[in-house]
């Protein structure tokens, strides 16, 4: 209730405002802050001419009833809660005097697994590292190509917009959009032709037969064989007066035997 509602109730018949549903709040002792239903306020505004409906509602707010008191706890509920607390205290004391074993994780069992995996999978050559430079160059080329497309389209659109400044707005928009679309189609066509020609050139290069020519030949160990032939030993003919048991000595060419 507001001050205007309290003053209005003092000037009208209480029965006229109370008439209605029995669930409405009582208006026997009006005071500021007491609850009142909206239908009672409507009936009050119709029963008198001094206060209008907006004057009665000015300063009012939605009434929120206080929460109902909590029901009293039964003896069975109190006994059950006491039993559960005792059991929980017993379990906590048991965990304190006999702590459970900590769970063994994979890292605890194999502390050097990560280092061993890194060492086993360490790249052995530059080819194993990857083609980061090639990927970066390809991305850079594509980004620059996209920027070139956008700059070309924006430049043509701005030029056509300036050239058609004496035309009407719909005509300028149509001219600008048409020119931009044509430039975009031309850019895509040129790039598609470039990619097609590059693919054709690569295909022709791969289909061309490979010719191999012998530029130089050499024989391994030829010089060593020549030197061995120069020092090859020969057998000295035996003397006529020598016996069969006489020792013979082999010497090289040009040397004498004893």
């Amino acid at each position: 209730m507001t001050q205007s509602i309290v003053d209005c109730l003092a000037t009208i018949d209480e029965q006229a405002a109370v008439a209605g549903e029995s669930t409405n709040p009582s208006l026997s002792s009006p005071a500021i802050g007491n609850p009142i239903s909206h239908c009672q306020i409507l009936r009050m505004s119709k029963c008198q001419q001094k206060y209008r409906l907006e004057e009665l509602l000015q300063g009012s707010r939605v009434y929120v009833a206080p929460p109902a008191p909590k029901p009293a706890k039964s003896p069975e509920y109190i006994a059950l809660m006491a039993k559960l607390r005792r059991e929980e205290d017993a379990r906590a004391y048991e965990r304190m005097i006999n702590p459970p074993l900590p769970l063994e994780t994979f890292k605890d069992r194999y502390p050097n697994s990560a280092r061993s995996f890194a060492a086993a999978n360490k790249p052995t050559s530059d080819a194993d590292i990857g083609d980061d430079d090639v990927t970066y160059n390809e991305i850079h080329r594509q980004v620059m190509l996209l920027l070139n497309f956008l700059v070309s389209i924006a430049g043509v659109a701005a030029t056509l917009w300036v050239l058609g400044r004496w035309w009407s707005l719909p005509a300028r928009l149509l001219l600008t959009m048409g020119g931009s679309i044509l430039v975009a189609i031309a850019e895509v066509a040129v790039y598609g032709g470039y990619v097609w020609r590059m693919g054709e050139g690569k295909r022709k290069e791969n289909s061309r037969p490979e010719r191999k020519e012998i530029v130089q030949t050499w024989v391994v160990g030829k010089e060593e064989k020549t030197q061995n032939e120069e020092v090859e030993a020969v057998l000295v003919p035996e003397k006529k007066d020598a016996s069969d048991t006489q020792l013979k000595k082999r010497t090289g060419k040009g040397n004498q035997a004893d």
Side-chain angles (χ1 to χ4, degrees):
M1 292 184 182
T2 61
Q3 184 63 42
S4 59
I5 294 176
V6 174
D7 297 341
C8 182
L9 286 173
T11 58
I12 65 173
D13 186 6
E14 181 181 350
Q15 297 298 327
V18 172
E21 299 179 359
S22 59
T23 57
N24 292 333
S26 175
L27 302 178
S28 58
S29 57
I32 298 176
N34 288 353
I36 185 174
S37 64
H38 188 67
C39 60
Q40 291 175 336
I41 298 175
L42 291 176
R43 283 194 295 269
M44 289 171 53
S45 63
K46 294 177 181 179
C47 293
Q48 47 82 36
Q49 301 295 330
K50 184 178 179 180
Y51 297 95
R52 294 180 298 175
L53 179 60
E54 57 270 15
E55 294 178 355
L56 296 174
L57 294 175
Q58 187 176 4
S60 63
R61 60 181 181 272
V62 178
Y63 176 76
V64 180
K70 295 181 179 180
K73 299 178 181 179
S74 62
E76 293 80 5
Y77 176 79
I78 296 175
L80 178 61
M81 294 301 297
K83 178 182 178 182
L84 294 176
R85 290 191 184 95
R86 288 194 300 268
E87 292 177 355
E88 181 61 26
D89 293 340
R91 286 193 293 268
Y93 180 75
E94 183 66 23
R95 287 194 299 268
M96 182 180 63
I97 60 178
N98 296 318
L101 297 176
L103 296 177
E104 186 179 15
T105 61
F106 183 82
K107 184 178 180 181
D108 296 335
R109 174 170 289 189
Y110 305 103
N112 299 324
S113 59
R115 190 179 304 172
S116 301
F117 180 81
N121 293 273
K122 183 178 180 181
T124 57
S125 62
D126 296 338
D128 298 336
I129 298 176
D131 53 350
D132 294 340
D133 295 337
V134 177
T135 305
Y136 174 76
N137 294 333
E138 183 67 19
I139 294 175
H140 182 267
R141 185 179 65 83
Q142 294 181 3
V143 170
M144 294 303 297
L145 182 64
L146 181 61
L147 291 177
N148 186 18
F149 283 3
L150 295 177
V151 170
S152 301
I153 295 172
V156 171
T159 303
L160 294 177
W161 181 265
V162 173
L163 292 176
R165 58 182 177 272
W166 291 286
W167 296 7
S168 61
L169 183 60
R172 294 178 68 184
L173 289 175
L174 181 61
L175 178 63
T176 304
M177 293 181 63
S180 301
I181 293 173
L182 290 177
V183 171
I185 295 174
E187 292 281 354
V188 173
V190 171
Y191 180 71
Y194 168 75
V195 173
W196 179 78
R197 294 194 63 178
M198 291 292 294
E200 287 293 323
K202 186 179 295 185
R203 185 179 62 81
K204 291 180 179 180
E205 185 68 22
N206 295 333
S207 62
R208 181 178 300 176
E210 183 180 1
R211 295 181 180 180
K212 297 181 180 180
E213 297 180 358
I214 300 176
V215 178
Q216 184 180 2
T217 59
W218 64 91
V219 179
V220 179
K222 182 177 180 181
E223 297 180 356
E224 297 179 358
K225 184 177 180 180
T226 304
Q227 294 178 0
N228 294 336
E229 290 178 354
E230 293 179 355
V231 295
E232 185 179 359
V234 296
L235 181 62
V236 178
E238 57 186 25
K239 297 181 180 180
K240 295 180 180 181
D241 56 350
S243 62
D244 295 339
T245 59
Q246 186 178 3
L247 296 178
K248 302 179 181 61
K249 182 179 180 181
R250 292 182 300 175
T251 60
K253 293 181 179 180
N255 296 336
Q256 295 179 359
D258 294 336

